[in-house]
Amino acid sequence: GYGSDNKSDGSNSSAPATSTGATTAKLSADEVKIGYFPNLTHATALVGLKEGFFQQELGSTKIKPATFNAGPAEIEALNAGSIDIGWIGPSPAINGYTKSGGSNLKIISGSASGGVKLVVNPAKIKTLADVKGKKIATPQLGNTQDVALLNWIKTQGWKVDAQSGKGDVSVVRTDNKITPDAYKNGSIDGAWVPEPTASKLVAEGAKVLLDESSLWPNKQFVITNVIVSQKFLSAHPDVVEAVLRGSVKTDAWIKANSDKAKADANAQLEQLTQKALPAKVLDPAWASIQVTDDPLAATAKTEAEHAVSAGLLKAPKLDGIYDLTLLNKVLKAQGQPTVDAAGLGTQ
Amino acid sequence: MADTLTSAAAQHAESAAHAARLDHVSKAFGRPGAQQLVLDDITLDVRPGEFVCLLGASGCGKSTLLNLVAGLDKPSAGSITTPGGRPALMFQEHALFPWLTAGKNIELTLRMRGMPREQRRPEAERLLSLVRLGGAYGKRVHELSGGMRQRVALARALAQDSQLLLMDEPFAALDAITRDVLHDELTRIWSETDLSVLFVTHNVREAVRLAQRVVLLSSRPGRINREWSIDIPQPRRIEDAAVADLSVEITEELRGEIRRHGQH
Amino acid sequence: MADTLTSAAAQHAESAAHAARLDHVSKAFGRPGAQQLVLDDITLDVRPGEFVCLLGASGCGKSTLLNLVAGLDKPSAGSITTPGGRPALMFQEHALFPWLTAGKNIELTLRMRGMPREQRRPEAERLLSLVRLGGAYGKRVHELSGGMRQRVALARALAQDSQLLLMDEPFAALDAITRDVLHDELTRIWSETDLSVLFVTHNVREAVRLAQRVVLLSSRPGRINREWSIDIPQPRRIEDAAVADLSVEITEELRGEIRRHGQH
Amino acid sequence: MASTETSGAQDAAPLGKSPADAPAQEQPDRHDLSGLEAGLDALDAVVVKRTPVGQVLVKKVLPPISAIVLVLVVWQLAVWAKLADQTKLPSPSAVGQELVDRWNAGDLFSIIWTSVSHGLLGFAAALVIGTPLGLVVARVPFVRAAIGPILSGLQSLPSVAWVPAAVIWLGLNNSTMYAVILLGAVPSIANGLVAGIDQVPPLYLRAGRTIGATGLRGAWFILLPAALPGYVAGLKQGWAFSWRSLMAAELIASSPDLGVGLGRYLENMREGSDMAGVFLGILLILFVGIAIDLLIFSPLERWVLRSRGLTAGSQ
Amino acid sequence: MASTETSGAQDAAPLGKSPADAPAQEQPDRHDLSGLEAGLDALDAVVVKRTPVGQVLVKKVLPPISAIVLVLVVWQLAVWAKLADQTKLPSPSAVGQELVDRWNAGDLFSIIWTSVSHGLLGFAAALVIGTPLGLVVARVPFVRAAIGPILSGLQSLPSVAWVPAAVIWLGLNNSTMYAVILLGAVPSIANGLVAGIDQVPPLYLRAGRTIGATGLRGAWFILLPAALPGYVAGLKQGWAFSWRSLMAAELIASSPDLGVGLGRYLENMREGSDMAGVFLGILLILFVGIAIDLLIFSPLERWVLRSRGLTAGSQ
Ligand SMILES: Nc1ncnc2c1ncn2[C@@H]1O[C@H](COP(=O)(O)OP(=O)(O)OP(=O)(O)O)[C@@H](O)[C@H]1O
Ligand SMILES: Nc1ncnc2c1ncn2[C@@H]1O[C@H](COP(=O)(O)OP(=O)(O)OP(=O)(O)O)[C@@H](O)[C@H]1O
Ligand SMILES: [Mg+2]
Ligand SMILES: [Mg+2]
C-alpha cells in the first residue's frame, strides 16, 4: 500500500544519518571484494547493492561483487583471498572456522533470520506424527536445515542414522535445485528447506507443516550472517566498518520499506540470474524472512551443539568466531541496542 | 530398368556358358571432371573350368579388373556377371586379418562357408600343409615372412571353395622351388574340380605354364590387346622349351605394347 | 665391455675394407623358453662397391637379415657394422607413408638427408621418372597399383643416397619389361657410383643378371649354404645363355637344399 | 547369383580423358536404407566421391534437419497429448519464447560467446600441453609406466573435484576456469595421442628410421602424422572434456570479470526452476557442441581419412 | 658410423631350439633415459618381449611407485615450508588420519563400492547400447549424417544438465543415476567405435566381403575386431565419462536408497570445509580411476595391440 512513500523514504531518511563523515574520508583499501548468493536469504546484500547503500559508505573504495551458489565455494574463495567479506549461512561459516583452526574468518554481523519451513505433501502427511516413515529432503548432509531436521526428529523420539539418513524418517539429501523436481516426481514426501525452495514446493501443492522459527526462542534463529577474512579485518578495519554501516542501514531500510525492498531484491535476482521469482513464490518467501543485524550468536551455538549431538560435527572450538566490536560501534553510533556474541568472541 | 532386368534374366539362362562374363566394362577413377579412365570397354568371358591368365604392364588395371569381377567395385559402364556365386579373390597384398592367427584366418573363411566347427580345424591344417606351411597354424600374421603370408592368403582363397578363383599375383613373393610346387598343386586342384581361374601375373612363363588362355592387356586405358590359346599339354614344366618359346613371343608383344606408350 | 670397444675400434680402422660386416650373427624370435632360431652364425662381408644377391627359400630369414643390417633389429648374438653410415633399406612391403603423396614420400627422405627445399621437388621428379613414374608425383599411395608402389619405394630408397643399399625383393611386383628397364637403371647407378648393394630376390635369373656374388641361405635356421662369384661381364641380359646356365645350377642347389628340409 | 550390373551399359557415353567431355557418371543408387544389413555393406560398394551441390544438400543437410524436425514434432505431440505438465515438459513454443526473450534482452550472443571463447582458448592451451605430454608418455617407457595410469586416473576425476583446489590456489578469475579446463582436457588429449601412437604400424616407424627421421624429427614427420586418425579422435573427446569442464567451472562462482556463460545460464534457469529456460540452455549447449563438431572436427576427420584412402569406397 | 653390436658375441651360449637349454638372452640395456630423443627411439630398437619377474617389478611397479613417492615428498616439503596454511593444503598425515578414521568407521569400502558398482554397471549398460549405435552410425550414411553430429553434441553436454530432467522423469533413485551415466557414456563409446571403424583399412572390409562376411556377420567378424584398437581407446574415454557423470549425479542427489558414494563423500567433505577430507576424496577417486585403468583397460589394450603385432619391437 505505501509504495510511493517508500521511494522518498529510502533515499531521504537513512542516507544522511550516518554517511556524511564516511564518504568524504578516503578509506585504506581501493577495493573490497564482496561475496553473496543470489538468494532471498541474502536480501541485505541484494538490496544494499541495488540501492547503493554500501557504495555510499565506501566512497571511493570500489566494490567487487561475486556471487556463489553454495557456502563451501564461498569459504574457499575467502580462503583464497578472492573475497574479503561475505554473506553466508552459519553452518559453512562455523565449518570453515573450525577447520582452519580459527584462523581464517570472523563473523562480524547478522543478516537474516527465519525462512526455513517443513513443507509436506498434504495427501500423505497431515500431522507432525505422520512424518514418521516418510521421506523428507534436506539440502545437504550436516547443513543447518539437516541438523535442524535431525534434532527435531530426535525431539519426537524417533531415531535416524545421521550419516546415511536411514531410520524412522528417511532423510534424503537433495540439492535445492532438484527438490521441487523430486517432489513433483513423488520421490520425496516433504522437505525441510530454506526459502525460496519452501515456497516453490508450496506452489507445487505442498503445505507448510512447520515453520522452524516456531521452535526457537523469540521465533528467531540465524539463517545468514556476515563474515570477513581475518587478514582483511586487521588490515582494513575502516573498510569493514563502512560495509557494516551500509549493512545496518540497509537492514533498517528493508524493515521500513518492505515492498520496495522485495521488488529491489527480485530485480537484483533477475539481473544476476536472468530470472525473477514469480509472485506466488516471492511473496510468502519474503514474508517469512526477517532481516536483522543481530547474528543471533546463541542460536548458532545451539545449532552447533545439535550438530555435535547428531554426530555430524566433532565438538567445535567456536571461541572467538564472533568479532562484533565494529558492529556494536556502528549500532551505538546510531543509537541502536548492541548485540551479543553469546560468549563466543568479542562484542 | 526393365531393360536391365530382362538382360540379367537372359544372362542367367545361359549361366552354364560362362563362369564370369564382362560385357563392355569400363572403369574410371577420380571425381567427375578429373577422371582417369583405367579400363576401357573390356569384353571377356571365362568359361566354366577355364584357366585364364591376365598379363599386362604395371599399373595397366589388372587388379582393378579382378576387383570388379569380385564385386568389390562397380564398373563405370558395362556389366559383369558371375553366375557361379561369389568368386574367391586372393588380393595382391595378402589382406590377412592381423587379429587372427594364420590358421584362424582360414577357419574364419570356412566358417563363413558354413562348415561345421569340428571340421574346420583339420581342414585348415590340411590347407596349410598344402601350401607347405604345416607348422604355421598358430602364427600371427606379423610373425610370418612375406612369402609365408602370401601362401596363407592362397590357402584362404582355396578354403572358400568357390567355382571361380581370382588370383592377383599369388606367387610373386615365392622362391622358384616353392612356386613350382604350388604350380603343381594349383594345376592338380584345377584339373580335379570344375574350378575356373582368372589369374594375374607378371611372370610370362608362369602364365604359359598354367593357363589355357593368356590375355594381354594394354595400358592407359586398359584394353584387351591380344589373346593366346595355349595347347601345350599338361603337365607342363616352367623349364619346357615350348613354354619358353611362347613366353618369348608374349614378352615381345608386351614389350612392343609398352614401347607404344613411350615412357611406359 | 672393454673387449667389445677394442674390437669396435679395430673394425673402424679397417672400415675401408667393407661396406657391411656381419660377424657370427644369430637371431632368434620369441620369448625365452620358446625361441625360434631364424639366423644362425652368419658371417658375411659386403665389400665397398660390391653387389651381393641373397637367395633362399621363402621364410629362411632374408628379410630378417636385412633388418639387422639396417639396424632395425638387434642380433641375438654377434655384431654387425656398417661403416658407411645408415644404409638405405627398401622394404619387402612398400612401407610408403600413406599420408603423403608419392612425390612427398620421396621429398621427405630428401629433406631428412638435408637437401635444401628448392632442390627437393626437381630431384623427386627426377627419381620418379627414373622408375618410369613421371606422372605420379601427386598420387596418394592408395591410388597406386602394387607395382607402382614398389617403384616409388625404390625411388625413395635411391633418394637416400646411402653408400649401402639394402633391397628386399624390389622388383617382385613388376612386369618383365619394366623390370628389365629398372635392372639396367640399377646397374648403371651402381657402376657409376661406389654404391654397395645387398639385394634379396626370389628370381634366380635376376640374381645372376645383377650380382657380383650370389649367397644362398639355407632354411631353419638360416645359414650361409654356398656362394657363387659371377664373372659374366656386364652389361648382361636376363636372357643371356650364361645367365640361364648359372641360374639352373643355383636353382638345382636351392632345390636340393629345400629337399633336405622335407616339407620345405 | 552374384551379379554386379550397371544400367547405363548401352547408353553411357564413352568416358574420355578430357575433363570437358566427361559425362555425368551414372551411378544407380542401390542404397536400400530399409535394411540394416544393406546399410552395413553400402559404404563398401559405392564409389561416388564428389557429388553435385544438390546431392550434397540432400546427403549432408537433409538428414540432420529431418532429425531435428522429427524431434520437434515428437516433442510438440507429447506436449499436446499432455504426457506431462508444463513444468515437466515445456512446449517448443515456450522455449522459443524464452529464446526470443534472450534475444531481446540482447545477451544471447554474449552468453554463447563467453563460453565458446573460454572453451576454445582453454582447448587450445590443452592441445599445446597435451600433445608433447602424450608423445612423451607414448614413447618413453619409464614415463609411461610412471604417469600413464595417473593420466587415465586424472581423466576420470570429475572437474568439480578440482574446483575447490583451483579456487583456493588461483582465486576467482579466469585462471581457475582455465585450470579446470586444462585438468579435464589435457589427460584426454594426451591419452588420445597415446592410443593413436600405439596403433601406428611399426613398419612406418622403421621406414622412418631408415630414412633418418629419428628423435624429434621422427616424432614430427612420422609419428604424429601416422597417429593422426587416433589423435583427431582423441581431440574430439578432449574438446568434449574441456567443454564439460568449462560448464562445471562456470557454476562455481560468477563475478563481473567472468561474465555469464552457458553453464551459468543453465544453472540460473535451474535455480529458478524455469523448465523452458533449462531446455533452452540444454539446446544452446547442444547447438554449440554440434556446431563445433560440424565446423571443426568433421572436416578435419574427413580430410585426414580421405587423404590416406581410409574412406571406404575410395579404394 | 652406424653400428649395431652386442657384447655377448663370443661368450653367448648357442641358442638351441629346445626350451630347456635356451639360455637367458643377453640384451644389453642401451636405454638411455637421460635424453628424450633416445627415449623416442628406444621402443623401436629393443626386442625384449618377456622379462623375468624381477625386471617386471622394476619396469612396471617401480615407476608408478616412484611417481607417487615423489608427489608425497613434494607435498610434505610444501607443508613443512608452510607454503600455505592448513586450510589450503592439509599435510599428508592429516589426510592419512582421515583415511584411518574412515577405515575405523568401517565405511571406506562401502563408499568406494557404492560408486564403483554403480559406475561399472552403468558402463556395462552404456557398452551394450553404445556399441550397436556406433556401428549403425559408422556404417549407415543417412544415420551418420542425421545423428552423428548430435552424438558429438550430446557428448559435450555436461551431465548436470540432465539431472533435473532425469529426476522429474525417473525419480530419485538408481535409474536417475544410470540415466545420467548412460547419457554421458553412450555417445563417447559410440563415437569411439565410429572413429575406430573409420580407421579400418578398406582392404580388410573387402577381404571380409569376398569371404562372405557381409551384413551383421561382417560387422561381428570383421568390422568390430578390425576397429578394436580404436574402440578400446573409445571405451577408456567412455569409462572416464561414465565415472565423471556418476560423480556429478551423486553430488546432486542422495537418498538412503542410493547410499553414499565417492562423489557424495567429496561433496560432504567440501560442505564441511574439511580440506583433508576433500584431498582424501580426490585421492580415492583418482585411486579408483587408476585401478580400473590398470586392472581392466591396460591389459585389454596390451592384449589387443600385442596380438596384432602393434607393440613396437615385436616385428
Ligand atoms: N582408388 C584409386 N584411385 C585412383 N586411381 C586408382 C585407384 N586404384 C587404382 N588406380 C589407378 O588405376 C591404375 C590401375 O591400377 P591397378 O592396381 O589395377 O594396376 P595393376 O594392373 O594391378 O598394376 P600392378 O601390376 O602394378 O599391380 C593405376 O594407374 C592406378 O594409379
Ligand atoms: N616378429 C617375428 N616373430 C616371430 N617370428 C618371426 C618374426 N619375424 C619373422 N619371423 C620368422 O622368421 C622367419 C624368417 O622370416 P623372414 O621374413 O626373414 O623370411 P624371408 O627369408 O624374408 O622370407 P620371404 O622370402 O618369404 O620374405 C620366418 O619363419 C618367420 O616366421
Ligand atoms: Mg595389381
Ligand atoms: Mg622376406
Side-chain angles (χ1 to χ4, degrees):
Chain A
Y2 42 94
S4 58
D5 291 344
N6 289 341
K7 233 171 248 165
S8 49
D9 233 41
S11 34
N12 295 341
S13 66
S14 41
T18 47
S19 59
T20 34
T23 39
T24 48
K26 184 151 167 37
L27 299 176
S28 63
D30 295 333
E31 169 184 272
V32 55
K33 291 168 278 186
I34 292 184
Y36 62 103
F37 297 8
N39 190 315
L40 283 187
T41 54
H42 292 233
T44 311
L46 293 172
V47 175
L49 286 167
K50 166 104 178 144
E51 291 289 334
F53 291 131
F54 293 111
Q55 197 62 68
Q56 279 172 27
E57 300 298 335
L58 284 165
S60 61
T61 301
K62 272 215 264 329
I63 299 176
K64 213 177 146 209
T67 58
F68 297 85
N69 282 2
E74 195 174 316
I75 294 290
E76 284 151 11
L78 182 112
N79 285 342
S82 288
I83 62 164
D84 306 314
I85 295 177
W87 273 257
I88 199 165
S91 137
I94 289 173
N95 280 328
Y97 183 79
T98 41
K99 290 292 157 43
S100 74
S103 66
N104 60 345
L105 59 82
K106 293 276 185 192
I107 297 175
I108 49 170
S109 170
S111 174
S113 152
V116 178
K117 293 163 188 165
L118 172 62
V119 286
V120 297
N121 184 343
K124 291 186 179 162
I125 300 174
K126 305 224 160 25
T127 67
L128 289 175
D130 291 344
V131 172
K132 189 172 184 186
K134 299 294 191 297
K135 290 190 209 141
I136 305 296
T138 66
Q140 170 72 38
L141 174 73
N143 94 328
T144 323
Q145 289 82 38
D146 193 54
V147 170
L149 172 63
L150 290 173
N151 188 59
W152 179 78
I153 288 170
K154 204 163 116 194
T155 61
Q156 301 292 307
W158 302 331
K159 281 205 169 51
V160 165
D161 175 51
Q163 286 296 336
S164 70
K166 283 192 193 122
D168 292 331
V169 175
S170 281
V171 181
V172 181
R173 278 79 184 222
T174 312
D175 195 297
N176 279 338
K177 289 185 281 289
I178 298 300
T179 308
D181 299 332
Y183 177 81
K184 266 183 269 184
N185 175 272
S187 296
I188 54 173
D189 306 316
W192 189 294
V193 281
E195 294 293 0
T197 311
S199 295
K200 279 184 192 162
L201 289 175
V202 171
E204 296 290 343
K207 194 173 103 323
V208 178
L209 192 65
L210 183 75
D211 190 325
E212 191 184 331
S213 48
S214 67
L215 301 175
W216 292 91
N218 301 327
K219 296 198 179 289
Q220 279 202 318
F221 66 98
V222 60
I223 178 80
T224 311
N225 47 35
V226 186
I227 59 172
V228 65
S229 111
Q230 291 182 11
K231 270 193 213 108
F232 191 80
L233 180 60
S234 55
H236 308 289
D238 53 333
V239 178
V240 176
E241 190 185 330
V243 170
L244 285 175
R245 271 201 305 276
S247 165
V248 168
K249 199 163 89 181
T250 309
D251 286 349
W253 187 82
I254 291 173
K255 278 181 203 151
N257 309 286
S258 181
D259 282 358
K260 176 74 171 77
K262 182 167 75 179
D264 273 356
N266 211 17
Q268 193 75 351
L269 283 183
E270 176 162 21
Q271 199 213 319
L272 289 170
T273 71
Q274 287 97 20
K275 274 294 139 178
L277 287 172
K280 64 174 176 176
V281 174
L282 178 65
D283 292 342
W286 184 259
S288 68
I289 298 170
Q290 303 142 22
V291 292
T292 166
D293 300 323
D294 188 346
L296 302 167
T299 63
K301 194 177 171 188
T302 314
E303 278 177 6
E305 282 159 6
H306 289 164
V308 172
S309 74
L312 292 174
L313 199 62
K314 287 176 218 147
K317 275 191 54 176
L318 295 181
D319 298 339
I321 190 173
Y322 288 98
D323 183 347
L324 304 176
T325 43
L326 288 173
L327 176 67
N328 281 333
K329 185 175 158 202
V330 171
L331 288 174
K332 255 188 226 140
Q334 301 205 357
Q336 294 190 34
T338 57
V339 295
D340 178 52
L344 297 178
T346 50
Q347 57 192 54
Chain B
M1 271 313 269
D3 193 53
T4 329
L5 284 175
T6 342
S7 74
Q11 280 161 349
H12 194 53
E14 48 174 348
S15 67
H18 61 274
R21 159 164 292 176
L22 288 84
D23 192 20
H24 298 286
V25 167
S26 296
K27 176 70 186 173
F29 282 111
R31 55 188 97 130
Q35 282 193 319
Q36 184 202 349
L37 189 63
V38 169
L39 292 177
D40 185 22
D41 197 34
I42 303 271
T43 297
L44 179 71
D45 263 25
V46 179
R47 285 186 300 276
E50 195 181 20
F51 199 125
V52 178
C53 272
L54 218 53
L55 282 172
S58 172
C60 75
K62 303 179 293 297
S63 301
T64 306
L65 184 75
L66 287 201
N67 279 334
L68 291 175
V69 176
L72 297 177
D73 275 333
K74 290 198 178 177
S76 307
S79 74
I80 298 172
T81 47
T82 53
R86 192 190 295 278
L89 170 58
M90 189 185 155
F91 291 85
Q92 187 167 13
E93 310 95 343
H94 56 83
L96 296 173
F97 302 123
W99 57 92
L100 298 174
T101 59
K104 291 286 174 194
N105 259 289
I106 297 169
E107 282 187 26
L108 179 62
T109 306
L110 296 173
R111 178 167 187 180
M112 293 298 115
R113 204 178 104 186
M115 183 179 277
R117 176 188 298 271
E118 62 282 1
Q119 295 172 26
R120 281 183 224 144
R121 171 97 196 218
E123 174 68 4
E125 278 173 344
R126 187 187 69 78
L127 285 164
L128 277 175
S129 57
L130 189 78
V131 296
R132 301 297 181 270
L133 281 175
Y137 182 90
K139 290 226 177 194
R140 298 269 165 193
V141 174
H142 67 272
E143 295 171 338
L144 299 172
S145 80
M148 293 159 102
R149 289 176 201 177
Q150 217 171 23
R151 283 180 279 161
V152 177
L154 172 62
R156 183 173 72 172
L158 292 175
Q160 219 177 313
D161 202 25
S162 281
Q163 287 190 34
L164 176 59
L165 182 57
L166 310 170
M167 306 174 87
D168 202 349
E169 306 193 29
F171 303 133
L174 297 184
D175 62 283
I177 317 302
T178 311
R179 198 187 53 207
D180 277 359
V181 171
L182 293 182
H183 282 167
D184 290 348
E185 289 290 355
L186 183 62
T187 315
R188 184 182 59 74
I189 294 170
W190 166 70
S191 58
E192 285 173 4
T193 61
D194 56 354
L195 189 67
S196 320
V197 183
L198 186 54
F199 188 104
V200 167
T201 178
H202 281 309
N203 191 325
V204 183
R205 277 169 174 258
E206 179 172 81
V208 177
R209 153 80 181 81
L210 293 168
Q212 292 180 305
R213 187 151 58 108
V214 172
V215 176
L216 179 65
L217 286 187
S218 66
S219 294
R220 305 213 165 161
R223 292 206 186 89
I224 293 184
N225 193 285
R226 212 177 132 181
E227 294 193 9
W228 288 264
S229 279
I230 299 175
D231 33 26
I232 308 169
Q234 294 280 8
R236 308 169 194 154
R237 300 233 57 82
I238 209 159
E239 304 89 3
D240 288 350
V243 170
D245 290 347
L246 187 52
S247 300
V248 171
E249 180 191 330
I250 296 177
T251 307
E252 268 320 303
E253 181 75 27
L254 181 63
R255 192 188 311 275
E257 158 60 24
I258 287 176
R259 193 164 290 137
R260 271 190 294 280
H261 276 276
Q263 267 286 73
H264 255 257
Chain C
M1 272 312 270
D3 193 53
T4 329
L5 284 175
T6 342
S7 76
Q11 281 164 348
H12 194 53
E14 49 175 344
S15 67
H18 60 275
R21 160 163 292 176
L22 288 84
D23 192 20
H24 296 285
V25 166
S26 295
K27 176 71 187 173
F29 282 111
R31 57 188 95 129
Q35 282 194 318
Q36 185 203 349
L37 189 63
V38 170
L39 291 176
D40 185 22
D41 197 34
I42 303 271
T43 297
L44 178 71
D45 264 26
V46 179
R47 286 187 300 277
E50 196 181 17
F51 199 124
V52 178
C53 271
L54 219 53
L55 282 173
S58 171
C60 75
K62 303 178 295 295
S63 301
T64 306
L65 185 77
L66 287 200
N67 279 335
L68 290 176
V69 176
L72 295 178
D73 275 334
K74 290 196 178 180
S76 306
S79 74
I80 299 173
T81 47
T82 52
R86 191 190 294 279
L89 169 60
M90 189 185 154
F91 292 85
Q92 188 166 13
E93 311 95 346
H94 56 82
L96 296 173
F97 302 123
W99 57 90
L100 297 174
T101 59
K104 292 285 174 195
N105 259 290
I106 297 168
E107 283 186 24
L108 180 60
T109 306
L110 296 173
R111 178 167 186 178
M112 293 297 115
R113 203 177 105 187
M115 183 179 277
R117 174 189 299 271
E118 62 282 0
Q119 294 172 24
R120 283 183 222 143
R121 170 98 199 221
E123 175 68 4
E125 278 174 343
R126 188 187 68 80
L127 286 164
L128 277 175
S129 58
L130 188 77
V131 297
R132 302 296 181 271
L133 281 176
Y137 182 90
K139 288 226 179 194
R140 298 270 166 192
V141 174
H142 68 272
E143 294 171 338
L144 299 172
S145 80
M148 292 160 100
R149 289 176 202 178
Q150 219 173 20
R151 282 180 278 160
V152 176
L154 173 62
R156 184 173 71 172
L158 292 175
Q160 220 177 312
D161 202 24
S162 282
Q163 288 190 32
L164 175 60
L165 182 57
L166 310 170
M167 305 174 88
D168 202 348
E169 305 193 28
F171 304 133
L174 297 185
D175 62 283
I177 315 303
T178 311
R179 200 186 52 207
D180 279 357
V181 171
L182 293 182
H183 281 168
D184 290 347
E185 289 289 356
L186 182 61
T187 316
R188 183 181 62 74
I189 293 170
W190 166 70
S191 58
E192 285 174 3
T193 61
D194 56 355
L195 188 67
S196 320
V197 182
L198 186 54
F199 188 103
V200 167
T201 179
H202 282 310
N203 191 324
V204 183
R205 279 169 173 258
E206 181 173 79
V208 177
R209 152 81 182 79
L210 292 169
Q212 292 181 305
R213 187 149 59 105
V214 171
V215 176
L216 179 65
L217 285 187
S218 66
S219 295
R220 304 209 166 166
R223 291 207 185 91
I224 292 184
N225 192 285
R226 210 178 133 182
E227 295 192 9
W228 289 264
S229 277
I230 300 175
D231 34 25
I232 309 169
Q234 294 279 11
R236 308 170 194 151
R237 300 234 58 83
I238 209 159
E239 306 89 2
D240 287 352
V243 171
D245 291 347
L246 187 53
S247 300
V248 170
E249 180 192 329
I250 296 177
T251 308
E252 268 320 304
E253 181 75 27
L254 181 62
R255 192 187 313 274
E257 158 61 22
I258 287 176
R259 194 166 289 135
R260 274 191 292 280
H261 277 274
Q263 268 286 75
H264 255 257
Chain D
M1 169 177 135
S3 139
T4 324
E5 290 182 50
T6 311
S7 54
Q10 264 71 15
D11 45 41
L15 294 157
K17 268 186 176 173
S18 135
D21 61 15
Q25 219 174 312
E26 293 221 13
Q27 285 286 354
D29 201 334
R30 292 178 137 238
H31 242 158
D32 185 10
L33 287 167
S34 58
L36 172 62
E37 300 227 340
L40 287 169
D41 284 331
L43 268 176
D44 291 339
V46 178
V47 196
V48 183
K49 283 188 76 176
R50 285 285 155 106
T51 35
V53 185
Q55 278 205 38
V56 167
L57 280 179
V58 169
K59 296 218 161 181
K60 291 276 154 194
V61 181
L62 196 66
I65 291 202
S66 44
I68 290 168
V69 168
L70 193 74
V71 168
L72 278 180
V73 167
V74 170
W75 179 6
Q76 185 63 58
L77 283 180
V79 170
W80 276 334
K82 296 224 187 307
L83 269 187
D85 56 82
Q86 268 290 132
T87 49
K88 285 193 179 187
L89 187 72
S91 66
S93 64
V95 176
Q97 185 56 48
E98 173 71 22
L99 181 67
V100 171
D101 288 355
R102 284 293 114 227
W103 177 277
N104 290 337
D107 54 4
L108 184 65
F109 285 115
S110 92
I111 288 178
I112 295 178
W113 179 242
T114 302
S115 289
V116 169
S117 60
H118 282 154
L120 287 181
L121 213 69
F123 179 66
L127 204 64
V128 170
I129 300 172
T131 304
L133 185 64
L135 210 56
V136 171
V137 169
R139 301 298 284 159
V140 185
F142 184 84
V143 175
R144 184 186 200 127
I147 71 166
I150 295 179
L151 222 51
S152 301
L154 279 182
Q155 214 183 334
S156 60
L157 198 60
S159 328
V160 281
W162 289 117
V163 170
V167 169
I168 284 187
W169 287 95
L170 301 169
L172 270 188
N173 47 41
N174 279 334
S175 11
T176 297
M177 201 91 67
Y178 290 128
V180 173
I181 295 180
L182 287 184
L183 283 163
V186 166
S188 177
I189 291 176
N191 267 336
L193 183 54
V194 170
I197 288 179
D198 281 347
Q199 293 169 43
V200 172
L203 187 60
Y204 296 146
L205 304 183
R206 298 171 148 239
R209 290 187 72 204
T210 53
I211 67 166
T214 52
L216 289 179
R217 291 204 304 176
W220 179 250
F221 289 111
I222 313 290
L223 209 52
L224 282 180
L228 207 55
Y231 180 51
V232 170
L235 287 190
K236 240 173 118 166
Q237 306 258 10
W239 163 254
F241 273 106
S242 47
W243 183 250
R244 293 174 82 150
S245 304
L246 172 68
M247 296 293 114
E250 282 187 3
L251 299 188
I252 332 155
S254 71
S255 74
D257 306 351
L258 296 175
V260 174
L262 282 168
R264 188 79 218 168
Y265 171 76
L266 183 69
E267 186 69 5
N268 286 339
M269 293 301 113
R270 284 182 60 200
E271 198 85 43
S273 295
D274 180 337
M275 263 296 150
V278 169
F279 265 66
L280 180 64
I282 291 182
L283 289 179
L284 285 180
I285 295 177
L286 206 57
F287 166 78
V288 171
I290 294 176
I292 296 279
D293 186 63
L294 283 180
L295 294 179
I296 299 183
F297 293 108
S298 289
L300 189 63
E301 236 170 7
R302 249 201 317 277
W303 170 75
V304 166
L305 294 176
R306 180 170 291 168
S307 72
R308 44 196 85 191
L310 284 174
T311 42
S314 66
Q315 197 172 7
Chain E
M1 169 177 135
S3 139
T4 324
E5 289 181 52
T6 312
S7 53
Q10 263 71 15
D11 43 41
L15 294 157
K17 268 186 177 174
S18 135
D21 61 15
Q25 217 174 313
E26 294 221 10
Q27 284 287 354
D29 199 334
R30 292 179 136 237
H31 241 156
D32 184 9
L33 286 168
S34 57
L36 171 63
E37 297 228 343
L40 286 169
D41 283 332
L43 268 177
D44 290 339
V46 177
V47 195
V48 183
K49 283 189 77 176
R50 283 288 154 105
T51 36
V53 185
Q55 277 205 38
V56 167
L57 280 179
V58 169
K59 296 217 160 182
K60 290 276 154 196
V61 181
L62 195 67
I65 290 200
S66 45
I68 289 167
V69 168
L70 193 74
V71 168
L72 278 181
V73 166
V74 170
W75 181 4
Q76 185 63 58
L77 283 180
V79 169
W80 277 333
K82 297 224 188 306
L83 269 186
D85 56 81
Q86 271 291 121
T87 46
K88 288 192 175 190
L89 187 72
S91 68
S93 65
V95 175
Q97 187 55 46
E98 173 71 23
L99 181 67
V100 171
D101 289 355
R102 284 290 114 231
W103 177 276
N104 290 338
D107 55 3
L108 185 65
F109 286 113
S110 93
I111 288 178
I112 295 178
W113 179 241
T114 303
S115 288
V116 169
S117 61
H118 281 152
L120 287 181
L121 213 70
F123 179 65
L127 205 64
V128 170
I129 300 172
T131 304
L133 185 64
L135 211 55
V136 171
V137 169
R139 302 298 285 156
V140 184
F142 184 84
V143 175
R144 183 183 202 130
I147 72 167
I150 295 178
L151 222 50
S152 302
L154 279 182
Q155 215 182 332
S156 59
L157 199 58
S159 328
V160 282
W162 292 116
V163 173
V167 168
I168 286 189
W169 289 94
L170 302 168
L172 265 189
N173 47 40
N174 280 333
S175 4
T176 295
M177 212 71 109
Y178 290 129
V180 173
I181 295 180
L182 288 184
L183 283 162
V186 166
S188 178
I189 292 176
N191 267 337
L193 184 55
V194 170
I197 289 178
D198 280 349
Q199 293 169 45
V200 172
L203 186 61
Y204 296 145
L205 305 182
R206 298 171 147 238
R209 291 186 71 205
T210 55
I211 67 166
T214 52
L216 289 179
R217 292 204 303 176
W220 180 250
F221 288 111
I222 313 290
L223 209 52
L224 281 180
L228 207 55
Y231 181 49
V232 169
L235 287 190
K236 239 173 119 166
Q237 307 257 11
W239 161 254
F241 273 104
S242 46
W243 182 249
R244 295 175 80 152
S245 304
L246 172 68
M247 295 294 115
E250 281 188 2
L251 293 191
I252 283 169
S254 78
S255 80
D257 310 349
L258 295 177
V260 174
L262 281 168
R264 193 74 211 168
Y265 170 76
L266 182 68
E267 186 66 6
N268 286 342
M269 292 300 113
R270 249 193 106 189
E271 191 76 22
S273 290
D274 183 342
M275 263 294 146
V278 168
F279 266 66
L280 180 64
I282 292 182
L283 289 180
L284 286 179
I285 295 177
L286 204 57
F287 166 78
V288 171
I290 294 176
I292 296 277
D293 185 62
L294 283 179
L295 293 179
I296 300 182
F297 292 109
S298 288
L300 190 63
E301 236 170 6
R302 250 200 315 279
W303 170 76
V304 166
L305 294 176
R306 180 170 290 168
S307 73
R308 44 196 85 191
L310 284 174
T311 43
S314 66
Q315 197 175 6

